[in-house]
Amino acid sequence: MRNPTGSRDTDAALEVLFHPFDTGALAWPSAGGALFLRARDGWPLHARAYPRLVCEQGFKPAFDALARSGLPVHGDGVGGTYPLVLVLPPRQRDEARALFARALVQAGDAGVVVACMPNDEGAKTGQSDLAKLAGPVSVLSKQHCRVFWTGAREVDADLLAHWRVLDAPRRVGDGTWMSRPGVFAWDRVDVASALLLQHLPADLAGEGADLGAGTGVLARDVLARCAQVRTLDLYEAELRALQLARENLATHANAGFHWHDVTGGLTRQYDFIVMNPPFHAQARADRPDIGRRFIAVAAEALRPRGRLVMVANRHLPYEAELGGRFAQVRTLAAASGFKVVEAVRA
């Protein structure tokens, strides 16, 4: 895979994940195929043939990239056992431990689990966790990443049973809300969303959308406070979060749920849009381009005189995008490093 400049895509963890197969330290299974959990597309997947590879990815942009490249990919729920299970673990430790446990179960009694993590994103901890669960692991390092895999099994059955449910959905807060480790701000209302909720206009009306809806925290308050809202569509790229939103808003018949990459645009028009757009991708560095794209998509999807109400980090440069796409822009509140902005389309 190459980007528009002609250079190879940069995903060191993905590349190093396949390093044991490139060096001959591991052999690709001759039968039975392989399962790739938290799969991402990139040139290493296409550098050679990997027969009967099945991918699972719940983040819609990554899912779409895998599908476009022709790889078999599922959003979730891939069952069965495989002689090889590949894993790109997430940063959140409970979620990662649950994923290691699932990988071991789906590798059966004799399969191999191979995982890779960047050094600055917990590779040493991930290696230690897999070893606690499965016994001694083999390790290779390259490009500031660590790839590690299971050998002869010494599985701790009690720990396996405990870790398998570490990221299970559960009630949080006052007990009325379902969430799970690994989704954004899983056990709290984040500071930015809390500020937006404090200054949410009560006169939102008509057909609306929540872009990057997460588990539905903002959507719940819109539907509860704004009596003139007829419908509210939730758009969320992370399938795990969207599934929770469906449960959390199950009593609201006028809520719609869309597993969707907002940066690809929307296909219908709305009277209002609310959002707390993401400003990070896989890396930790700020990605204001994502927020700017959310603003552009919102402007395109709003009807004339449609309203956008959003919250953002005060230091992120969104003013030019807002000013260029909306007739009126005003700050409703600013506190704790965030700002709530209302913009009205011409």
Side-chain angles (χ1 to χ4, degrees):
M1 297 288 290
R2 294 182 180 272
N3 64 30
T5 67
S7 61
R8 281 182 167 182
D9 294 338
T10 300
D11 188 338
L14 177 64
E15 181 176 349
V16 178
L17 180 68
F18 288 88
H19 187 51
F21 305 99
D22 296 336
T23 61
L26 283 174
W28 193 263
S30 58
L35 174 62
F36 189 178
L37 300 175
R38 299 293 196 276
R40 298 196 295 264
D41 191 32
W43 70 264
L45 282 172
H46 308 278
R48 52 180 277 194
Y50 293 108
R52 295 173 295 280
L53 176 64
V54 177
C55 300
E56 182 182 288
Q57 174 56 261
F59 184 55
K60 196 60 164 63
F63 176 96
D64 290 343
L66 288 160
R68 284 193 299 269
S69 73
L71 291 166
V73 57
H74 305 263
D76 66 355
V78 176
T81 57
Y82 297 79
L84 173 66
V85 181
L86 305 168
V87 186
L88 289 174
R91 291 195 193 101
Q92 210 282 338
R93 196 173 188 186
D94 283 348
E95 184 188 6
R97 283 178 161 180
L99 197 63
F100 284 141
R102 178 189 167 191
L104 276 173
V105 170
Q106 294 203 249
D109 293 332
V112 177
V113 174
V114 186
C116 185
M117 302 174 72
N119 292 337
D120 62 357
E121 294 182 14
K124 187 175 181 180
T125 298
Q127 175 189 331
S128 174
D129 280 349
L130 185 58
K132 287 177 185 176
L133 194 61
V137 298
S138 300
V139 186
L140 289 173
S141 295
K142 183 182 178 184
Q143 294 181 226
H144 307 291
C145 295
R146 189 177 300 203
V147 57
F148 42 96
W149 63 93
T150 57
R153 296 293 188 83
E154 298 177 13
V155 176
D156 185 325
D158 291 337
L159 194 62
L160 180 70
H162 175 58
W163 283 11
R164 284 190 70 181
V165 296
L166 279 180
D167 74 335
R170 68 201 66 177
R171 297 196 176 276
V172 297
D174 62 2
T176 64
W177 202 249
M178 292 296 294
S179 189
R180 66 191 303 183
V183 301
F184 175 67
W186 79 272
D187 58 351
R188 66 194 185 283
V189 177
D190 66 286
V191 175
S193 294
L195 184 66
L196 178 53
L197 290 171
Q198 290 173 13
H199 299 277
L200 186 69
D203 61 345
L204 297 175
E207 298 175 328
D210 181 356
L211 308 188
T215 61
V217 171
L218 180 57
R220 172 184 60 176
D221 274 33
V222 170
L223 291 170
R225 292 190 207 174
C226 306
Q228 297 181 71
V229 171
R230 291 194 301 276
T231 62
L232 184 66
D233 285 340
L234 285 72
Y235 291 88
E236 172 55 44
E238 181 51 64
L239 184 58
R240 287 159 54 90
L242 187 68
Q243 291 166 339
L244 292 163
R246 285 181 182 275
E247 186 168 355
N248 288 327
L249 276 71
T251 60
H252 293 277
N254 57 342
F257 303 90
H258 306 271
W259 185 39
H260 185 72
D261 176 10
V262 169
T263 65
L266 305 182
T267 58
R268 58 165 301 181
Q269 298 286 294
Y270 294 97
D271 299 303
F272 71 90
I273 288 174
V274 295
M275 67 183 189
N276 177 6
F279 57 92
H280 293 110
Q282 291 173 357
R284 291 175 177 165
D286 285 354
R287 285 285 306 276
D289 58 300
I290 299 176
R292 287 195 294 266
R293 180 58 185 156
F294 266 60
I295 292 168
V297 168
E300 293 163 0
L302 282 168
R303 297 182 176 117
R305 302 300 298 170
R307 298 163 69 186
L308 168 66
V309 183
M310 65 174 288
V311 65
N313 292 57
R314 292 177 68 177
H315 73 276
L316 292 179
Y318 293 155
E319 281 73 17
E321 193 73 33
L322 287 163
R325 293 183 177 273
F326 291 88
Q328 303 171 33
V329 179
R330 65 184 181 122
T331 299
L332 300 181
S336 305
F338 295 94
K339 57 192 173 187
V340 177
V341 176
E342 180 181 54
V344 180
R345 225 190 129 188

